[in-house]
Each structure stands twice: as structure tokens, then as C-alpha cells.
Amino acid sequence: MHDYAVTHLKQLESEAIYILRETAAQFERPVLLFSGGKDSIVMTHLASKAFWPAKIPFPLLHVDTGHNFPETIEYRDEMVSELGANLVVASVEEAIKDGRVVEEKGPNASRNMLQIQTLLDALEEGQYDAALGGARRDEEKARAKERFFSHRDEFGQWDPKNQRPELWNIFNGRMSPGEHFRIFPLSNWTEMDVWQYMKLEGIELPSLYYAHKREIVVRNNTILAVSEFVQPRDGETVETRQIRFRTMGDATITGAVESDADTMEKIIEEVAAARETERGNRADDKRSESAMEDRKKAGYF
Amino acid sequence: MSTEETSSDSKGYLDMDLLRFTTAGSVDDGKSTLIGRLMYDSKAIFEDQLESIEQSSKQRGDENVNLALLTDGLRAEREQGITIDVAYRYFATPRRKFIIADTPGHIQYTRNMVTGASTANLAIVLVDARKGVIEQTCRHSFIANLLRIQHVVIAVNKMDLVDWSEDAFDKIREDFRKFASRLDNIVEVSFIPISALKGDNVVDSSTNMPWYKGPTLLYHLETVYVGPDANHVDSRLPVQWVIRPHSDEFHDFRGYAGRVAGGVFKPGDEVVVFPSGFNAKIKGVYGGGGELKEAYSPLSVSITLDREIDISRGDTIAKPNNPPRIGQEIDAMICWFSEKPLNPKGKFVIRHCAKEAKVLIRDVKYKVDINTLHKLEDDKVFNLNDIGRVTLRTASPLCYDSYKANRVTGSFVLVDAFTNETVAAGMIR
């Protein structure tokens, strides 16, 4: 008898491609939010598969905090030219200069909240009606309640208590003028699935994800890479350690882990043995128990 | 890059399959505790997650670590100590990856149970050993049956509070069997006595209930044979998108993209496009950059045909020998999701596969009292959570199957044309 078994990775891939095609079909001006992180890299890879041999029928949008690791930008530009994709950059730096957002003060200031306004402005400017994000439900407990097609009101806000039910594989992207959707094709993936899929597909990642030697400081139990944006404070000492990053965000808040995993295989082993979630090192989530929910309600991705 | 399965050289995770299940029970039956226990004992909960809920439990004055805080992620949920929305959770054992749809038991949130059940292959219905089979148990089983979940596990929880009594367990089993004989879609019902709080028979076998010889809940979930949910006989490809590269290399490429909803498609196959009825032969089958030998459910693919015919989003590609039903009169069971009662004169839009069309409510036949399974032919007003049978008339023809034959081509949702809310889920008869 013919075996029509489909592995879990293939099922997840198939589901994500289905969502990407629904997005292209149901919306007039979708956009893919590209952060340079591994989830958005996988999502971009899936988008190139979904519409092959045609090009991805929507642009990529990068909300640039200005606090990037140079490796991220290099990787982004190379990928965009390879795919022949259209890249739009929304700059937090420029939003600050324009006075649309005001930089946080204090020693733990972060540009995380500023990204929200910059993103909402960019969505409005580009008249985008759907923004594809690489967020997964396993990342954080407020995200566990997120829909594939997540409605945002005219202020870009999320109303978690009043979400549209999603049944079978039917997605309702109807909306009124001024509203938009956030769409999460990787909702059902776990961190492990993402790594396994990258290995299966031979997807290359920015070098930051692999173990390397780097100058770091330890701040609030988080290992931060020393860069032009992160300088040692009084009492902090700069050390060189063998580290890698598990997520990729603003350089001022993305914590590293000590690791010897310098290949995809070793990273998968490390993820399997890990006893801390990947966002465990994100200072932005540690601000309060509902930090993520609050940011999402305000329009974060 | 090849998109063929790599089963020959694979080890471990590349061979894992996927089980989607849903959990249902009434308030305080301990669903979230059970899920927390499954994840904690199978080591799917990370240290920082555990630390964070330990801290919150302490602050709330809970005696034990409150595992429900793992899934009740919204502030309102933690404040009120209830689960508001479907929470999706993930864990894997070396045998399987699991996706759990954790659905709240509050009566006003039945729509969440329907939502969680729509993508599940198995349902765990929790029964409080002290309360036995109650209205809610019947309601949840009825919904599992209606949504065509073939495997049901009755997890008799809180066995520690009835002194691990075999009699209490047996009575629940008998009571449930009497009720379940009328649920024709459920193929298999398993009964497992557990204590989610203490961990008995969840991941590890209980030493408190030597009279129970069956598997633990996790072992059952890992090994239960859930036959392919997909229908591999009736070939259906609802067209989502037409791929036209307009490049020199692929100048004439016209790929009809969609997720196979049933059957098998191979190069050389004769196909018919509905609703137009035009015939063609399949030239190529593609899966994200590579040519495939065949396409079957639930793969997302694109296919090319040997001649140019007009095909667009919403059309269905099928085989000549077993076509779908085509029509504008739809006889269906619906579950009403809106706080606003169904107004049969209201303006609605139906979403079915990749098709969207205006729709009228032609007739409300009856509602079902889902506690007694009686038909209510006098009360025809659909309020939130009501389930019943209606006839619809769509503005353009749909290509559909019965929900019994195909969960993809037999399901739809109704959308309020003014508020854009999803107001009902439907299963075609």
C-alpha cells in the first residue's frame, strides 16, 4: 500500500506556505516583516518556495533600530539581492530625528518601544494592509493566544479578548478601511522545528548564530556583546567568551549564551538539551509579567 | 532544492509525525493543570518558565505551583483565574510532536471548543471523578463528534479525591458509554483514570491504582494510531493563487497553487476544473522549487496543465470519475459564534476553501439541544453557542463535499458583511 505519511516538518512547511498564499490572495498590499532573525529568515525562505518560480509578490520591510550587528545588515542585503526581492527600510533613527518618537532615557533605555511607532508609521506610509511576522506561539505566553490572521484596529492595537475564531484552514481577512492584519505563518512552529527545518533545507544563517569569540559584558545576568551601542559601565568588566545568539534583535538588548555550538548540528543538540526558553535572555520581556501582552496590544509584532 | 521526503537517510526528528489534540472540560476540571503536567513531566517546560510561574504562584498565594499559569498568558486570565481563549501549546517526545488546543470550559466560550476541535484528530474530555458525567461532558463529546474527531479520551481526573476508587471510575465509564452510543463519528473512546495534580497516569504509571492495567495518558497519545485524516480517494485541489512568473526562463509557466484537500495528483492525470467543467491533463507537479512525482494531502503544491484554460482563485481541480458536488443550495449544520443572535435577513458572506461569496439564510430547520441531543423545531433563534441545521443559498456555485467525506471541502465559515466578524462555523451535510 502507498504510504502517504507526511512528517511534522513537511506539515508545518505546507501550512506556512498555505498561509503565505492566502495572504497574497486576500490582501492588496501585504508586506513581510524582516528582522534578520532566524524566524524571519525561515519565513522569507518559505515565501520564496510558496510563489516559485515567480518572485515573492510583496516587499520585505525591515524596521531598523539603528542598533544592528553589522553581520545582520550584510546578510540581509545579500539575501535580498539573491531573491530579487524588494526591500523597504523603516528607520527608528530617522523617526527620532523627525521627532515622531522620543528616545527612552536612563541606563536601561531601549529602542524596543520606539520600533512600534516606527513600524506603524511605515505600515501607514506604505498603505500596507497585512504584515507578515515570524512570531511563534511557543515563544511567549501572550503569543500562545495569537491567531494566524490577527486583526488590528485603526490604531494598530490588538484586542486579545475579542479575536476572530479560526477554524480548519479558513482565514477571514476582511476588514474596514484603516485597519490591518498581522499574519503569522510560523504560529505552530517551535524553536526546535525552526532549527530542524533550517538543517533539512540547508538554510544559511548570519554568523552571529554560531559560536564565536566576542567581547562581552554581563549586565542583569544577561550577556551583552560589546559594540558601539553597548559600552561597559562602572563596575563591569569586558571579557572575551565563546558565545552565540539564540535570537536576533536590537544589539542593546539581545543576550547571548555561552556555547561551543559552531555548526547547525551542534546547535540542534544544544537546543534539545536547553533548559531555558530562547526569549529568556531578552531584557525587554523581563520588564513585567505582561510585558509582551502590553507591547502587542500597542502594536508590537 | 529537493522537496522530496528524506525518509531513507533520516533519523529521529525527520521521521516524527504530528498529533493535534484538543482538551475540554468544565470549569475547574483541571485542564490547564493537566497540560502543564504533560509538558512538565515530559520536560517541555523550560526552567525560566517554571521560575516565572513559581514566582507568580507565590505572589497569588497558591499552595502548589500553579501550572495553569503556563497557558493562561493574558493578564485578564491571570487576574480572574480563568482561561479566556484557546491557547496553543507544543511539546514533543521522541515519538511524536504534539499540538494542543487548550479550550476553556466556560459555557459562554463553547465557540472556542469548536475552534480547537476543528483542527484536532483527538479530543481529551476531562471528567471530575467526584461529579461524574455531567451536561458539559455530553456537550463536549457532542462537539467532538460533530467536528468529526474520531478518537476521544475520557480522562477521569481528581481520582485522588475519590480515594482512587475503581467503582467511581467504572460508573463514569458506563454512564459515558450509554450516552456515546449515539455519537456516530467517534471511532474509539478510551478511559484513563488520572490525577493531573499529583501526576498519576499522566506520564508515569500510578502506584495508587493497581486495578488499572491500561496505558498512561502520554503513552496513549504517543502510540494511538490516528489514520490519515485526509481523504486519499477523492482528488481535490482548491486553487488559492495562480503563479505567473513573467520571466524569460519561465515565460509560459502558469502554476495553479493550493493545498491538496484530498486524493492524489500526478503528471499525466486527466483532471476537470470546476465549476467550468473544462478538461485537461497535468503537465507538472511542483513543491516549492522542485518537481514532485505526485501531490497529496496536506501538501501545498502547484500544478501546470497541458492546455490554457481559464482558472482562477476559488476554482477546484478534481478528477473526472469522482467530481465534487456543485451547487448554490447548501444544507449544513452550523454553530453560532456571535453575541448577536442570527438574523435570517442579515447580510452574510460565506468563506469556503478559497472562495468567498454572498449568502442568504434560506431556512432554519431546527436547533439541537446538545445536552439531550433533541431537535428543537419550535425555537429557531440562534444565540451564541447554538448549534443547528440551516439551508443556505450562495450567490455563486460552490464546489463542495459533505463534511463527513472531507473536512476541508465540507467546511465553511459565515462572516457578517457589515462587522466582518466570523459569526458561524458550518459543516455541510
Side-chain angles (χ1 to χ4, degrees), chain B residues 28-96:
Chain B
D28 295 333
D29 273 354
K31 283 183 318 294
S32 299
T33 311
L34 174 67
I35 289 171
R37 173 62 66 184
L38 272 174
M39 296 180 66
Y40 183 67
D41 286 0
S42 63
K43 309 204 165 38
I45 293 178
F46 294 109
E47 271 166 20
D48 57 327
Q49 284 176 305
L50 189 65
E51 259 169 45
S52 134
I53 62 167
E54 263 170 3
Q55 229 172 41
S56 309
S57 302
K58 229 184 262 166
Q59 194 164 336
R60 293 157 46 105
D62 293 339
E63 205 174 300
N64 294 310
V65 174
N66 187 350
L67 290 166
L69 294 174
L70 266 183
T71 50
D72 294 345
L74 303 175
R75 178 179 289 161
E77 292 179 312
R78 286 192 307 272
E79 282 169 3
Q80 298 169 43
I82 56 163
T83 307
I84 288 175
D85 200 355
V86 187
Y88 292 91
R89 283 281 157 187
Y90 306 85
F91 72 102
T93 68
R95 290 173 206 259
R96 266 188 177 154

Side-chain angles (χ1 to χ4, degrees), chain A residues 2 7-8 14 18 21-22 26 145 163 166 168 172 174 188 193 201 275 277 289-290 293-294, chain B residues 1 14 45-48 56 75 77-78 90 97 115 118 240 294 298 300-301 313 351 422:
Chain A
H2 197 305
T7 61
H8 77 293
S14 190
Y18 177 82
R21 288 170 171 171
E22 274 305 286
Q26 287 196 32
K145 309 264 164 164
Q163 301 195 72
E166 277 179 353
W168 301 290
N172 173 8
R174 288 173 67 99
N188 278 332
D193 296 328
E201 294 282 302
R275 299 308 306 146
T277 56
E289 190 172 21
S290 314
E293 183 182 344
D294 294 342
Chain B
M1 192 168 301
L14 296 182
I45 293 178
F46 294 109
E47 271 166 20
D48 57 327
S56 309
R75 178 179 289 161
E77 292 179 312
R78 286 192 307 272
Y90 306 85
K97 173 186 163 93
T115 304
S118 72
Q240 265 186 294
E294 57 187 358
S300 282
V301 299
R313 176 173 163 88
R351 294 198 78 97
T422 301

Side-chain angles (χ1 to χ4, degrees), chain B residues 311-325:
Chain B
I311 302 178
S312 50
R313 176 173 163 88
D315 290 352
T316 297
I317 298 176
K319 299 279 179 72
N321 53 349
N322 53 356
R325 290 194 255 163

